[in-house]
Amino acid sequence: MNRKIFVTGLTIFMGLFLMVNLTHAVTRITGPYLWVIAPCTANNGGQNSTHIDSLAIASGDQVTEEKVAKNGAKEGDEVGDYEWTYGTLPADGNINAMLVSIGMTTNGDMNDITSYALLVLKSNSVQNNVTMGVNSDDSIKVWVNGEVVHSNATNRGRGNATTFQDQFNIDLKKGNNLLMIKVSERGGGWGMYVGVDADYEIEDLDVVFPVEPTSKLTTQWAQIKGRR
């Protein structure tokens, strides 16, 4: 065998090996996330609702994806018939089971419905071009610090916890970074896996978005500390 070909092939193999093991090494983030759900029109969940603002529809435009992705939300804030509520995903990423466990619904098989999950990652330094991986059942859209960084309008199962279906790069600023993850469900299973290959701590949203001594209002939005 030609030595040059052998070395080149070995280099490619090792590169693929490292990429696969990097994926395996990224810890799945189970939460706690801050969750809310919003219905889709009949037979139009999943792929068809990926780029539809279900928060705006459910709240009569008082709450929008853009507002929440930029400014966050607080526990107890209302969106239509639901309130933002903390919840931790089970190991299998089943969103529906988690929603039942936190009392947001008693329906263990919701269809034509969209979930929104908020999470704050605190970074001690600027980290650019770090890899984020996601799995979803069905479609998914991801915001980081108010900007859309990924979307996949698809109807699919969420795969398994050992590999990511989608991988893409994101930038983390020093301090608090707000993630919003939208998963729209058409029918059947409903869930997600999320991981970020970076150094971070999960920050308490009540610290980043202090709870104000006022009644629940859908039009009040707390600001990230230090946001300009």
mmCIF file of all heavy atoms in Angstrom, residues 121-131 144-145 169-175 177 196-201:
data_model
loop_
_atom_site.group_PDB
_atom_site.id
_atom_site.type_symbol
_atom_site.label_atom_id
_atom_site.label_comp_id
_atom_site.label_asym_id
_atom_site.label_seq_id
_atom_site.Cartn_x
_atom_site.Cartn_y
_atom_site.Cartn_z
ATOM 1 N N LEU A 121 -27.023 30.067 30.122
ATOM 2 C CA LEU A 121 -25.679 29.526 30.298
ATOM 3 C C LEU A 121 -24.747 30.673 30.675
ATOM 4 O O LEU A 121 -24.646 31.667 29.946
ATOM 5 C CB LEU A 121 -25.179 28.867 29.012
ATOM 6 C CG LEU A 121 -26.017 27.722 28.453
ATOM 7 C CD1 LEU A 121 -25.333 27.124 27.232
ATOM 8 C CD2 LEU A 121 -26.279 26.655 29.504
ATOM 9 N N LYS A 122 -24.072 30.539 31.811
ATOM 10 C CA LYS A 122 -23.135 31.565 32.256
ATOM 11 C C LYS A 122 -21.722 31.154 31.858
ATOM 12 O O LYS A 122 -21.232 30.096 32.257
ATOM 13 C CB LYS A 122 -23.216 31.757 33.770
ATOM 14 C CG LYS A 122 -22.297 32.862 34.287
ATOM 15 C CD LYS A 122 -22.462 33.048 35.787
ATOM 16 C CE LYS A 122 -21.561 34.159 36.307
ATOM 17 N NZ LYS A 122 -21.710 34.347 37.773
ATOM 18 N N SER A 123 -21.070 32.006 31.067
ATOM 19 C CA SER A 123 -19.708 31.745 30.616
ATOM 20 C C SER A 123 -18.759 32.740 31.266
ATOM 21 O O SER A 123 -19.063 33.933 31.353
ATOM 22 C CB SER A 123 -19.626 31.875 29.086
ATOM 23 O OG SER A 123 -18.291 31.770 28.641
ATOM 24 N N ASN A 124 -17.609 32.258 31.722
ATOM 25 C CA ASN A 124 -16.629 33.141 32.354
ATOM 26 C C ASN A 124 -15.764 33.875 31.347
ATOM 27 O O ASN A 124 -14.931 34.700 31.728
ATOM 28 C CB ASN A 124 -15.741 32.337 33.300
ATOM 29 C CG ASN A 124 -16.496 31.863 34.528
ATOM 30 O OD1 ASN A 124 -17.386 32.547 35.027
ATOM 31 N ND2 ASN A 124 -16.166 30.677 35.011
ATOM 32 N N SER A 125 -15.942 33.577 30.070
ATOM 33 C CA SER A 125 -15.168 34.243 29.027
ATOM 34 C C SER A 125 -15.936 34.182 27.712
ATOM 35 O O SER A 125 -16.928 33.447 27.596
ATOM 36 C CB SER A 125 -13.794 33.564 28.855
ATOM 37 O OG SER A 125 -13.963 32.229 28.416
ATOM 38 N N VAL A 126 -15.472 34.949 26.734
ATOM 39 C CA VAL A 126 -16.034 34.851 25.378
ATOM 40 C C VAL A 126 -15.637 33.501 24.792
ATOM 41 O O VAL A 126 -14.467 33.119 24.836
ATOM 42 C CB VAL A 126 -15.519 35.996 24.486
ATOM 43 C CG1 VAL A 126 -15.977 35.786 23.049
ATOM 44 C CG2 VAL A 126 -15.994 37.341 25.015
ATOM 45 N N GLN A 127 -16.601 32.775 24.245
ATOM 46 C CA GLN A 127 -16.331 31.494 23.593
ATOM 47 C C GLN A 127 -17.028 31.501 22.234
ATOM 48 O O GLN A 127 -18.257 31.380 22.160
ATOM 49 C CB GLN A 127 -16.840 30.325 24.445
ATOM 50 C CG GLN A 127 -16.189 30.229 25.821
ATOM 51 C CD GLN A 127 -16.673 29.011 26.595
ATOM 52 O OE1 GLN A 127 -16.320 27.874 26.292
ATOM 53 N NE2 GLN A 127 -17.494 29.257 27.614
ATOM 54 N N ASN A 128 -16.245 31.654 21.186
ATOM 55 C CA ASN A 128 -16.797 31.737 19.837
ATOM 56 C C ASN A 128 -16.728 30.393 19.126
ATOM 57 O O ASN A 128 -15.822 29.589 19.358
ATOM 58 C CB ASN A 128 -16.048 32.787 19.016
ATOM 59 C CG ASN A 128 -16.306 34.195 19.503
ATOM 60 O OD1 ASN A 128 -17.406 34.501 19.988
ATOM 61 N ND2 ASN A 128 -15.329 35.072 19.386
ATOM 62 N N ASN A 129 -17.706 30.176 18.259
ATOM 63 C CA ASN A 129 -17.740 28.984 17.399
ATOM 64 C C ASN A 129 -17.711 27.678 18.183
ATOM 65 O O ASN A 129 -17.068 26.711 17.770
ATOM 66 C CB ASN A 129 -16.583 29.014 16.391
ATOM 67 C CG ASN A 129 -16.725 30.143 15.391
ATOM 68 O OD1 ASN A 129 -17.816 30.383 14.870
ATOM 69 N ND2 ASN A 129 -15.631 30.840 15.133
ATOM 70 N N VAL A 130 -18.407 27.634 19.308
ATOM 71 C CA VAL A 130 -18.536 26.370 20.020
ATOM 72 C C VAL A 130 -19.675 25.578 19.392
ATOM 73 O O VAL A 130 -20.599 26.133 18.802
ATOM 74 C CB VAL A 130 -18.789 26.590 21.526
ATOM 75 C CG1 VAL A 130 -17.622 27.318 22.165
ATOM 76 C CG2 VAL A 130 -20.091 27.356 21.760
ATOM 77 N N THR A 131 -19.589 24.267 19.516
ATOM 78 C CA THR A 131 -20.575 23.406 18.872
ATOM 79 C C THR A 131 -21.785 23.190 19.768
ATOM 80 O O THR A 131 -21.653 22.884 20.950
ATOM 81 C CB THR A 131 -19.959 22.039 18.532
ATOM 82 O OG1 THR A 131 -18.853 22.235 17.650
ATOM 83 C CG2 THR A 131 -20.982 21.144 17.839
ATOM 84 N N VAL A 144 -30.094 32.127 20.380
ATOM 85 C CA VAL A 144 -29.084 32.414 21.396
ATOM 86 C C VAL A 144 -28.951 33.925 21.496
ATOM 87 O O VAL A 144 -28.668 34.603 20.500
ATOM 88 C CB VAL A 144 -27.722 31.785 21.049
ATOM 89 C CG1 VAL A 144 -26.671 32.199 22.084
ATOM 90 C CG2 VAL A 144 -27.822 30.258 20.997
ATOM 91 N N ASN A 145 -29.199 34.456 22.673
ATOM 92 C CA ASN A 145 -29.125 35.904 22.914
ATOM 93 C C ASN A 145 -29.943 36.687 21.889
ATOM 94 O O ASN A 145 -29.518 37.711 21.361
ATOM 95 C CB ASN A 145 -27.673 36.368 22.925
ATOM 96 C CG ASN A 145 -26.900 35.801 24.101
ATOM 97 O OD1 ASN A 145 -27.445 35.638 25.191
ATOM 98 N ND2 ASN A 145 -25.624 35.490 23.884
ATOM 99 N N ASN A 169 -22.638 25.848 15.014
ATOM 100 C CA ASN A 169 -21.772 26.645 15.882
ATOM 101 C C ASN A 169 -22.509 27.860 16.426
ATOM 102 O O ASN A 169 -23.309 28.491 15.717
ATOM 103 C CB ASN A 169 -20.522 27.103 15.129
ATOM 104 C CG ASN A 169 -19.597 25.952 14.797
ATOM 105 O OD1 ASN A 169 -19.603 24.923 15.476
ATOM 106 N ND2 ASN A 169 -18.797 26.102 13.757
ATOM 107 N N ILE A 170 -22.218 28.185 17.684
ATOM 108 C CA ILE A 170 -22.782 29.374 18.313
ATOM 109 C C ILE A 170 -21.668 30.141 19.013
ATOM 110 O O ILE A 170 -20.584 29.607 19.253
ATOM 111 C CB ILE A 170 -23.883 29.022 19.335
ATOM 112 C CG1 ILE A 170 -23.297 28.210 20.505
ATOM 113 C CG2 ILE A 170 -25.018 28.268 18.664
ATOM 114 C CD1 ILE A 170 -24.282 27.992 21.655
ATOM 115 N N ASP A 171 -21.934 31.400 19.330
ATOM 116 C CA ASP A 171 -21.012 32.232 20.093
ATOM 117 C C ASP A 171 -21.603 32.493 21.474
ATOM 118 O O ASP A 171 -22.779 32.850 21.593
ATOM 119 C CB ASP A 171 -20.770 33.578 19.396
ATOM 120 C CG ASP A 171 -20.072 33.432 18.062
ATOM 121 O OD1 ASP A 171 -19.342 32.449 17.876
ATOM 122 O OD2 ASP A 171 -20.286 34.310 17.195
ATOM 123 N N LEU A 172 -20.789 32.308 22.498
ATOM 124 C CA LEU A 172 -21.188 32.653 23.857
ATOM 125 C C LEU A 172 -20.416 33.885 24.297
ATOM 126 O O LEU A 172 -19.197 33.930 24.177
ATOM 127 C CB LEU A 172 -20.909 31.501 24.819
ATOM 128 C CG LEU A 172 -21.656 30.182 24.580
ATOM 129 C CD1 LEU A 172 -21.255 29.150 25.631
ATOM 130 C CD2 LEU A 172 -23.167 30.391 24.587
ATOM 131 N N LYS A 173 -21.116 34.875 24.800
ATOM 132 C CA LYS A 173 -20.457 36.058 25.329
ATOM 133 C C LYS A 173 -20.064 35.806 26.775
ATOM 134 O O LYS A 173 -20.524 34.837 27.412
ATOM 135 C CB LYS A 173 -21.384 37.268 25.241
ATOM 136 C CG LYS A 173 -22.615 37.152 26.107
ATOM 137 C CD LYS A 173 -23.535 38.349 25.948
ATOM 138 C CE LYS A 173 -24.758 38.234 26.853
ATOM 139 N NZ LYS A 173 -25.667 39.395 26.717
ATOM 140 N N LYS A 174 -19.213 36.650 27.309
ATOM 141 C CA LYS A 174 -18.873 36.553 28.723
ATOM 142 C C LYS A 174 -20.095 36.963 29.540
ATOM 143 O O LYS A 174 -20.719 37.994 29.285
ATOM 144 C CB LYS A 174 -17.691 37.460 29.056
ATOM 145 C CG LYS A 174 -17.244 37.363 30.515
ATOM 146 C CD LYS A 174 -16.030 38.221 30.789
ATOM 147 C CE LYS A 174 -15.589 38.118 32.234
ATOM 148 N NZ LYS A 174 -14.387 38.953 32.525
ATOM 149 N N GLY A 175 -20.443 36.147 30.511
ATOM 150 C CA GLY A 175 -21.617 36.432 31.321
ATOM 151 C C GLY A 175 -22.769 35.520 30.953
ATOM 152 O O GLY A 175 -22.574 34.361 30.578
ATOM 153 N N ASN A 177 -25.877 33.989 28.915
ATOM 154 C CA ASN A 177 -26.315 33.750 27.549
ATOM 155 C C ASN A 177 -27.673 33.066 27.582
ATOM 156 O O ASN A 177 -27.816 31.985 28.158
ATOM 157 C CB ASN A 177 -25.306 32.872 26.815
ATOM 158 C CG ASN A 177 -23.959 33.542 26.649
ATOM 159 O OD1 ASN A 177 -23.687 34.199 25.655
ATOM 160 N ND2 ASN A 177 -23.090 33.377 27.648
ATOM 161 N N VAL A 196 -24.161 21.566 24.533
ATOM 162 C CA VAL A 196 -23.268 22.633 24.084
ATOM 163 C C VAL A 196 -21.852 22.280 24.506
ATOM 164 O O VAL A 196 -21.589 22.058 25.702
ATOM 165 C CB VAL A 196 -23.666 24.004 24.679
ATOM 166 C CG1 VAL A 196 -22.696 25.089 24.208
ATOM 167 C CG2 VAL A 196 -25.098 24.371 24.290
ATOM 168 N N ASP A 197 -20.936 22.224 23.545
ATOM 169 C CA ASP A 197 -19.544 21.852 23.819
ATOM 170 C C ASP A 197 -18.764 23.103 24.230
ATOM 171 O O ASP A 197 -18.022 23.683 23.440
ATOM 172 C CB ASP A 197 -18.924 21.207 22.580
ATOM 173 C CG ASP A 197 -17.530 20.666 22.853
ATOM 174 O OD1 ASP A 197 -17.237 20.368 24.032
ATOM 175 O OD2 ASP A 197 -16.739 20.552 21.905
ATOM 176 N N ALA A 198 -18.965 23.532 25.467
ATOM 177 C CA ALA A 198 -18.336 24.756 25.975
ATOM 178 C C ALA A 198 -18.227 24.662 27.487
ATOM 179 O O ALA A 198 -18.794 23.762 28.122
ATOM 180 C CB ALA A 198 -19.155 25.985 25.573
ATOM 181 N N ASP A 199 -17.494 25.606 28.069
ATOM 182 C CA ASP A 199 -17.403 25.706 29.525
ATOM 183 C C ASP A 199 -18.457 26.693 30.006
ATOM 184 O O ASP A 199 -18.436 27.870 29.623
ATOM 185 C CB ASP A 199 -16.005 26.189 29.939
ATOM 186 C CG ASP A 199 -14.921 25.176 29.591
ATOM 187 O OD1 ASP A 199 -15.188 23.968 29.711
ATOM 188 O OD2 ASP A 199 -13.817 25.610 29.193
ATOM 189 N N TYR A 200 -19.374 26.230 30.830
ATOM 190 C CA TYR A 200 -20.463 27.093 31.283
ATOM 191 C C TYR A 200 -21.041 26.545 32.584
ATOM 192 O O TYR A 200 -20.802 25.401 32.971
ATOM 193 C CB TYR A 200 -21.571 27.175 30.230
ATOM 194 C CG TYR A 200 -22.212 25.840 29.930
ATOM 195 C CD1 TYR A 200 -23.227 25.320 30.731
ATOM 196 C CD2 TYR A 200 -21.794 25.083 28.834
ATOM 197 C CE1 TYR A 200 -23.796 24.091 30.468
ATOM 198 C CE2 TYR A 200 -22.359 23.851 28.564
ATOM 199 C CZ TYR A 200 -23.360 23.360 29.379
ATOM 200 O OH TYR A 200 -23.921 22.137 29.118
ATOM 201 N N GLU A 201 -21.827 27.396 33.222
ATOM 202 C CA GLU A 201 -22.656 26.981 34.345
ATOM 203 C C GLU A 201 -24.089 27.339 34.000
ATOM 204 O O GLU A 201 -24.336 28.340 33.315
ATOM 205 C CB GLU A 201 -22.238 27.709 35.630
ATOM 206 C CG GLU A 201 -20.821 27.393 36.092
ATOM 207 C CD GLU A 201 -20.433 28.204 37.318
ATOM 208 O OE1 GLU A 201 -21.257 29.049 37.740
ATOM 209 O OE2 GLU A 201 -19.328 27.998 37.831
#
